[in-house]
Amino acid sequence: MAETREVEYQLDCYLPSSATLPRKRGAMSPQLPGVTRLMALAIKLDRMLREGVIQNYSQVARLGHVSRARVSQIMSLLQLAPDLQEQLLFLAATEQGRDIITEPLLRKVARHYCWDQQRGLFGQQIRISRPK
């Protein structure tokens, strides 16, 4: 039987004080797109797996209170071409409305193993998804 060990892991986050962020009354601040956050999470979890901090996707799922299938979906973003991953990490914050690039769209792109095919499909999907 496998030995179970509890792991404590701290993520360093620096949030500016609310005094430095002027806000209009009732205005929502721009948010990073969901795919940007998921891409960063996939990279972080991959590093934790490689370093042995976590052993497998099942452990990640238990700790994150999600299914193993959902962890696999998130980790599939690592199959994207490196330049596409970089684009996702540096997407501009969403000011209003929905994100143009969605995670289900990216899963379709990541299914292709050829990075050139991924790039073509990614560009095509972005053109289709942009509001007119």
Side-chain angles (χ1 to χ4, degrees):
M1 186 167 183
E3 180 183 325
T4 304
R5 68 179 183 159
E6 197 167 311
V7 176
E8 185 175 316
Y9 197 82
Q10 180 178 345
L11 298 175
D12 294 324
C13 297
Y14 300 100
L15 300 175
S17 69
S18 59
T20 62
L21 295 174
R23 287 189 180 199
K24 294 180 182 176
R25 190 167 215 198
M28 302 248 331
S29 62
Q31 242 187 341
L32 286 177
V35 293
T36 298
R37 294 191 307 267
L38 288 173
M39 187 73 246
L41 177 62
I43 292 168
K44 182 68 173 179
L45 292 174
D46 184 57
R47 184 172 359 137
M48 290 173 70
L49 280 163
R50 290 173 191 263
E51 292 173 353
V53 175
I54 50 180
Q55 273 63 51
N56 52 43
Y57 289 177
S58 295
Q59 185 179 13
V60 172
R62 279 193 307 277
L63 292 170
H65 303 285
V66 295
S67 69
R68 288 178 304 192
R70 182 64 182 139
V71 173
S72 292
Q73 288 175 340
I74 293 167
M75 299 302 281
S76 73
L77 296 176
L78 296 172
Q79 302 302 317
L80 291 168
D83 56 307
L84 296 181
Q85 291 183 28
E86 185 177 6
Q87 284 184 45
L88 294 176
L89 290 171
F90 292 100
L91 287 174
T94 304
E95 297 283 338
Q96 62 182 358
R98 296 180 183 210
D99 295 336
I100 292 174
I101 303 172
T102 63
E103 188 243 344
L105 178 145
L106 292 174
R107 284 200 315 254
K108 290 177 187 172
V109 173
R111 286 185 196 136
H112 296 270
Y113 294 109
C114 175
W115 287 347
D116 288 332
Q117 286 180 344
Q118 287 182 0
R119 290 179 189 106
L121 188 57
F122 182 80
Q124 180 182 26
Q125 292 294 332
I126 298 309
R127 283 191 296 279
I128 292 170
S129 301
R130 287 199 192 273
K132 298 192 175 27

